[in-house]
Amino acid sequence: MKNKLIVTLTTVYGSRQYSLGQVARYLVAFFVIVSAVSFFISNWLLVKTSDDLASLEEDHQQLTDQYEMMLGTQTLYKNELDELSSSLSKVANERDQLQEENVRMGELQLSLGENLNELETLLNVPDTGDVSADRLETLTMMANQRLFMLNSMPNGLPIQAIRINDGFGMRMHPLRKKPVLHKGIDYKAEIGTPVYATADGVVEFSGNKGDGYGRQVILLHNFGFRTAYAHLNKMVVSSGEFVHKGQKIAESGNTGQSTGPHLHYEVRHLYKPINPAPFVAWNIANFDTIFTTVKSVKWASLKNLYPLNQTVQP
């Protein structure tokens, strides 16, 4: 009995006993030991695996957090990059606009220079090369002053004539046959040719005085000037009307003491006839010539009148 191992198995049918020899006992003991060792090793491996798994899960969570952080940072960078791209686009557009503005300013500067040169040529003043705003203002004031004078006093042609028959001065009267002062200029023209006012003014007389001038229109202008248009066929304005320079006031004819169709044109200052020729030739380019050519008018006092007393240095 010492060398035998009895194993008892109990079931519902009863108990049975089995005897094992020494080798069998060793095998069973070895099996038990191996099972116990395997159990402890398995438990150790399970615990270690659990720890490793927990560590891996923690690492995974950290990686996940880092990934999400990187995604957030990338999104932030992308937004900043988009804002930077938008800012660069705006800067580029502003740069392009500034370049276009510079081109326009250059064109305007060139245009202003050309206009100033044309205005200086028109006014017959020296070209200074100055294209400043002050220069433009000075030339504009000068032009306005000259235009005011040219609209206020007689200048230019009263009619598109065929030719001049007689000028101002002493001549043999064609009907009286004796020397008399011819007080104006006779312009040969077909009957019905338009006659124009040579300055702004008011109609002092429109009709026939029976004084040899036939049908006539007399205009009263600024600064004591008058103009007379005689031997007319038809008047289109009446006494008291205001007229402007270049306005049609009559049609030429052959009425009164006339030897043929023509317009007799006179310029008077304080009722005194003066030679119309300098006034006919007077314009904005030769503006200053009238003040030295016509000496019977006291021009010096004009400079004291407004707006002619504005300082202008061409």
Side-chain angles (χ1 to χ4, degrees), residues 99-231:
Q99 289 177 347
E100 293 176 359
E101 189 67 23
N102 287 336
V103 171
R104 284 197 296 268
M105 289 298 294
E107 293 175 350
L108 289 174
Q109 187 79 0
L110 180 61
S111 176
L112 177 60
E114 292 175 351
N115 291 335
L116 284 176
N117 290 338
E118 292 176 1
L119 188 55
E120 287 172 337
T121 301
L122 178 63
L123 298 176
N124 195 25
V125 297
D127 181 6
T128 62
D130 182 8
V131 293
S132 65
D134 292 339
R135 179 61 173 171
L136 177 60
E137 182 179 359
T138 298
L139 292 175
T140 301
M141 183 181 297
M142 179 186 296
N144 288 335
Q145 289 180 351
R146 291 190 178 187
L147 289 174
F148 170 75
M149 294 286 286
L150 290 170
N151 281 284
S152 299
M153 295 188 294
N155 62 92
L157 287 168
I159 190 172
Q160 293 296 324
I162 299 173
R163 64 174 182 270
I164 294 177
N165 283 344
D166 281 305
F168 180 86
M170 296 298 297
R171 68 164 187 175
M172 184 65 68
H173 195 280
L175 297 179
R176 299 176 188 176
K177 303 300 180 182
K178 64 177 183 178
V180 295
L181 175 65
H182 187 237
K183 299 178 181 179
I185 296 177
D186 288 344
Y187 292 97
K188 179 176 177 59
E190 299 292 339
I191 294 176
T193 303
V195 177
Y196 304 100
T198 55
D200 297 343
V202 60
V203 181
E204 184 179 288
F205 179 81
S206 178
N208 192 335
K209 292 184 177 182
D211 54 2
Y213 281 94
R215 297 188 182 97
Q216 60 181 301
V217 171
I218 299 175
L219 301 181
L220 176 62
H221 308 289
N222 285 337
F223 309 115
F225 286 93
R226 282 177 171 81
T227 52
Y229 312 79
H231 305 304

Side-chain angles (χ1 to χ4, degrees), residues 233-246:
N233 182 62
K234 178 183 178 182
M235 294 87 69
V236 296
V237 293
S238 57
S239 298
E241 286 187 38
F242 292 97
V243 297
H244 59 82
K245 178 176 173 60

